[in-house]
Amino acid sequence: MKRRDFVKNTALSSGVITLGGVVTYASEKNKKTSATTFNLKYAPHFGMFKQHAGENLIDQLNFMADQGFTAFEDNGLMSRDVAMQTSIGETLAKRGMTMGVFVVDKGGNMANTLAAGKQQHLDIFLDGCKRAVEVAKRVNAKWMTVVPGAFERKLPIGVQDANVIEALKRAAEIFEPHGLVMVLEPLSDSPDLYLQNSDQTYMICKAVDSPSCKILFDIYHMQKTEGNLIHNMDLTWDEIAYIQIGDNPGRNEPTTGEINYKNVFKFIYEKGFDGVLGMEHGNSMSGKEGETAVIEAYKSVDRFL
């Protein structure tokens, strides 16, 4: 055999071709993997496994699927170009993955507060909702995160509530014809944020009274603001459409903090939840070791049956 044929055949049989000595995830993705079958639809995000998969976003999506994750979320999806949004949608469809939330672009969590009742704030919000519909079509998304903004301290709380409810009714009119759902996320990041508790969010959803306005129950944030997680989820369950994950303190993967995620996930599973649980947290350790630890943590807490 000629030397060049030997080298070619050896490279092909190994399944790995390197460029400049660098082995990418894309060049290894055809290797057999032992994907985990999870009981719930946990959704990683870009960057969570980039030490294994590399910087290429589609390689990262494929790596997630190869580990057994059946969903994905991307807060910053609306800021990505149309070509990338389309490629993400095509990859999700090919791998049988469910698209989780992306954030409706309204200028940031604290900006353009709906509680103020100002027309310019409402216009910015509704424009973001209209643009979100087109983004959702490209990735087959159903849920979009909405944060109403900060308090308007000069107004009585009842008036603020009414302003938020009216704004969300207008947004629901945009989403309903497309079967899309904005999920309202109460947060613990600042005392100036209008939406902070699950019961408050429940009241607003009931007042809006639309299938396109539901609760995003972020377990990390709700542990910080109110605790009593299973009880409060049960009280507001009929309005919860999406769940996010993060342990406390630290906002990293389950098993790194105080939350008994095995029991919480068991409750969610027994409720018959078939939606997405977004892994909106960091990795407690850096590098490939940290990424592997995240995967192992989910395998651990998913063993609740």
Side-chain angles (χ1 to χ4, degrees):
M1 181 182 292
K2 294 182 180 180
R3 182 179 184 276
R4 68 178 181 182
D5 292 333
F6 174 79
V7 172
K8 179 181 177 181
N9 291 340
T10 302
L12 290 173
S13 64
S14 69
V16 178
I17 300 176
T18 66
L19 295 175
V22 177
V23 181
T24 66
Y25 178 71
S27 68
E28 296 186 278
K29 64 184 178 182
N30 291 324
K31 288 184 176 181
K32 290 183 179 180
T33 58
S34 53
T36 300
T37 301
F38 291 108
N39 292 301
L40 295 167
K41 295 177 183 176
Y42 307 115
H45 54 78
F46 287 136
M48 182 165 272
F49 302 119
K50 69 178 182 180
Q51 297 303 318
H52 277 90
E55 295 289 342
N56 183 280
L57 300 186
I58 302 306
D59 284 351
Q60 291 184 34
L61 267 181
N62 280 313
F63 180 85
M64 296 170 196
D66 288 346
Q67 308 315 304
F69 293 108
T70 55
F72 160 77
E73 67 176 21
D74 183 18
N75 283 346
L77 183 68
M78 286 191 71
S79 66
R80 304 191 190 282
D81 61 47
V82 172
M84 178 52 69
Q85 292 171 1
T86 302
S87 184
I88 289 169
E90 291 171 349
T91 305
L92 292 173
K94 181 179 179 181
R95 300 306 304 264
M97 298 176 76
T98 301
M99 180 67 205
V101 290
F102 62 89
V103 175
V104 172
D105 179 11
K106 60 173 279 292
N109 286 349
M110 299 291 289
N112 300 307
T113 175
L114 303 182
K118 295 180 179 179
Q119 187 63 45
Q120 62 265 37
H121 293 181
L122 178 61
D123 290 344
I124 291 169
F125 171 53
L126 296 181
D127 176 69
C129 292
K130 291 172 184 176
R131 289 185 288 113
V133 171
E134 298 308 310
V135 174
K137 290 177 182 178
R138 296 183 192 116
V139 296
N140 195 30
K142 181 176 181 178
W143 307 277
M144 290 140 294
T145 305
V146 167
V147 177
F151 282 109
E152 180 58 61
R153 300 291 187 182
K154 296 179 181 179
L155 295 177
I157 190 63
V159 173
Q160 294 184 63
D161 290 342
N163 288 340
V164 171
I165 290 165
E166 287 303 308
L168 295 174
K169 284 183 176 180
R170 294 282 301 280
E173 292 173 356
I174 294 171
F175 290 133
E176 280 181 12
H178 305 280
L180 301 177
V181 183
M182 58 180 164
V183 284
L184 310 181
E185 183 177 16
L187 300 172
S188 64
D189 296 328
S190 167
D192 290 322
L193 281 161
Y194 165 81
L195 198 62
Q196 298 187 31
N197 295 93
S198 61
D199 63 327
Q200 173 197 16
T201 314
Y202 185 79
M203 177 273 292
I204 291 169
C205 288
K206 289 297 184 186
V208 175
D209 191 25
S210 167
S212 289
C213 183
K214 297 296 178 181
I215 297 172
L216 190 172
F217 196 102
D218 187 308
I219 296 171
Y220 162 77
H221 285 296
M222 293 302 91
Q223 172 69 1
K224 290 178 66 181
T225 58
E226 59 189 32
N228 210 7
L229 293 167
I230 291 175
H231 174 72
N232 288 331
M233 290 182 80
D234 198 36
L235 286 177
T236 60
W237 187 258
D238 62 304
E239 294 292 338
I240 294 174
Y242 199 93
I243 296 168
Q244 285 182 326
I245 303 160
D247 217 334
N248 183 62
R251 200 175 186 178
N252 290 313
E253 69 268 18
T255 73
T256 58
E258 66 189 359
I259 300 174
N260 187 336
Y261 264 105
K262 185 174 287 189
N263 279 357
V264 173
F265 288 159
K266 184 174 186 289
F267 165 79
I268 292 168
Y269 179 85
E270 290 179 346
K271 277 289 195 178
F273 185 72
D274 190 41
V276 172
L277 296 91
M279 296 159 59
E280 198 188 33
H281 57 74
N283 299 357
S284 62
M285 297 184 292
S286 61
K288 287 187 176 182
E289 181 183 5
E291 295 176 359
T292 300
V294 169
I295 297 168
E296 292 303 316
Y298 276 90
K299 290 179 182 180
S300 173
V301 294
D302 191 68
R303 298 189 192 108
F304 49 73
L305 295 180

